[in-house]
Amino acid sequence: MSDPGLTAPGTSEPPGAPVAGAADPDGLLAEQLLRLTRRLHRIQKRHLEPVGITPAQSRLLRLVAHFGDAPPRMADLAARLEVVPRAVTSLVDGLEGAGRVRRVPDPTNRRVVRIELTDAGRATLRELRSARRAAAEDILAPLTAEQREELGGLLTALAGPTPEGGC
């Protein structure tokens, strides 16, 4: 039996705990965002399958392209993706195996390896843009143009402006 002084009146919950049925708008928003994120990942994965690339590889490929004429080092990629270097190595291995990127020596420091796009990688990026647009259309289909604009503003307020280059 619980101590009546340690529970909210008429419940078995501690004082201050949300009462069943009470409004929790922030909790509801958090749950909706999590559900939307999972849905977005499923849709994106479905659209990327025909391209033969995973969402993580897609992000890495876009990031390599963002560096342009100065191919990034593995450490640069790991830092930008906020992952451990070993994770980048695995992604690069997969993309290199598919001929989408290649490892090249740094011209000024032979101990440094840089990652550059191949022609196949650039072609894959074009396919990815189409796949991402199709995935976005799937997820945004229920919204009007006005709602999409409003959502864009809200997302910018939450996530910040889109980085230069769209990576």
Side-chain angles (χ1 to χ4, degrees):
M1 180 165 246
S2 63
D3 180 348
L6 298 178
T7 60
T11 73
S12 59
E13 298 297 322
V19 178
D24 180 11
D26 289 342
L28 177 60
L29 281 173
E31 180 59 31
Q32 288 172 317
L33 286 170
L34 289 172
R35 286 183 18 233
L36 178 61
T37 300
R38 287 190 297 264
R39 183 169 178 238
L40 184 59
H41 281 251
R42 281 191 311 271
I43 288 171
Q44 182 182 23
K45 188 174 179 180
R46 186 178 75 234
H47 282 278
L48 292 177
E49 281 176 5
V51 180
I53 197 166
T54 67
Q57 288 174 328
S58 167
R59 187 167 179 224
L60 183 95
L61 202 60
R62 290 190 329 268
L63 184 55
V64 171
H66 176 74
F67 279 87
D69 292 336
R73 299 172 305 139
M74 299 279 260
D76 299 330
L77 296 170
R80 289 289 292 276
L81 293 171
E82 299 178 346
V83 298
V84 297
R86 178 70 194 126
V88 171
T89 300
S90 297
L91 290 171
V92 168
D93 287 347
L95 289 169
E96 188 176 40
R100 293 179 170 125
V101 298
R102 67 177 148 254
R103 289 173 167 92
V104 295
D106 183 285
T108 61
N109 184 345
R110 65 184 180 163
R111 293 175 297 169
V112 174
V113 174
R114 295 193 175 266
I115 308 303
E116 69 179 17
L117 288 175
T118 63
D119 289 340
R122 282 185 276 284
T124 300
L125 280 171
R126 287 189 293 276
E127 290 180 74
L128 287 173
R129 284 185 197 102
S130 294
R132 290 179 77 203
R133 276 194 297 276
E137 185 54 43
D138 278 1
I139 203 88
L140 298 172
L143 302 180
T144 65
E146 183 179 290
Q147 289 171 322
R148 289 177 188 208
E149 188 174 328
E150 184 177 352
L151 177 61
L154 293 170
L155 291 174
T156 297
L158 292 173
T162 303
E164 188 179 314
C167 290

